[in-house]
Amino acid sequence: MLHSMTSEPEQQIGVGTPDAFQRLWTPHRMAYIQGENKPTGPGAEDGCPFCAIPAKSDEDGLVIARGSHVYAVLNLYPYNGGHLMVVPFRHVADYTELDDAETAELAAFTKRAMTALRNASGAHGFNIGMNQGSVAGAGIAAHLHQHVVPRWGGDTNFMPVVGHTKVLPQLLADTRTMLAEAWPA
């Protein structure tokens, strides 16, 4: 097809009818969708990010707090602002593999996470849980992690329901600082 040298835009057939929707582009999520930095196998040496995070600074690893057996870290792909995870340092896949000290500290850190999120952001409620195994929805099934997702009245609106997009009002680094400062001793 020859193009004329006019100032009128070329009509493209088959691209659809313009609509009234604005687009909120989230290209950073493509890394999650494509599985970037996902472990290549079940072992700690297979690129497990939960094994690598403790070697980083708190700021670089988005670590909120460290204990003797577990640490709290922000989720890189949060469901809501402040979505964090409590992760054992030891590379285990199943909750039943934790020893008593790890289990106790994981529970204590979950309580501290709830307190910090309430104090820092006024969370009204929480979704707390573990997805055990890839068939149960675990994105990284080889290393146990417990999600703590803060919730607020009315936090589900048209964006996630219709647009399949979450709007997060704060950068992860700022959220990490806010929660680290609110973390109870």
Side-chain angles (χ1 to χ4, degrees):
M1 173 182 201
L2 294 174
H3 296 88
S4 64
M5 300 302 258
T6 66
S7 60
E8 292 182 29
E10 178 182 346
Q11 177 69 28
Q12 293 181 335
I13 306 300
V15 296
T17 305
D19 57 31
F21 293 106
Q22 292 184 3
R23 304 304 193 256
L24 179 60
W25 301 103
T26 57
H28 62 279
R29 294 219 18 104
M30 189 54 70
Y32 177 75
I33 292 166
Q34 293 177 336
E36 188 174 302
N37 296 324
K38 238 181 154 179
T40 57
E45 67 284 348
D46 294 325
C48 176
F50 295 135
C51 289
I53 288 169
K56 299 179 180 187
S57 70
D58 288 354
E59 292 77 13
D60 290 343
L62 298 174
V63 174
I64 298 162
R66 297 172 191 255
S68 300
H69 305 286
V70 303
Y71 64 96
V73 62
L74 283 181
N75 190 317
L76 275 179
Y77 307 102
Y79 296 129
N80 267 348
H83 176 177
L84 61 87
M85 296 170 292
V86 179
V87 184
F89 288 112
R90 193 164 60 96
H91 186 87
V92 297
D94 196 86
Y95 186 67
T96 62
E97 295 177 52
L98 293 178
D99 64 29
D100 291 344
E102 291 166 326
T103 302
E105 193 171 67
L106 187 131
F109 261 55
T110 300
K111 289 170 62 173
R112 287 181 183 156
M114 292 172 66
T115 299
L117 285 160
R118 280 191 182 118
N119 291 338
S121 65
H124 298 150
F126 299 90
N127 293 115
I128 297 173
M130 299 176 206
N131 299 321
Q132 294 284 269
S134 57
V135 298
I140 299 174
H143 197 133
L144 174 81
H145 53 285
Q146 176 156 273
H147 294 266
V148 180
V149 182
R151 301 300 305 265
W152 297 267
D155 69 4
T156 300
N157 57 42
F158 76 97
M159 288 299 289
V161 174
V162 175
H164 302 283
T165 302
K166 274 283 189 180
V167 178
L168 301 170
Q170 190 174 48
L171 296 173
L172 289 175
D174 296 338
T175 302
R176 191 216 69 81
T177 299
M178 178 183 74
L179 291 175
E181 289 172 357
W183 194 261

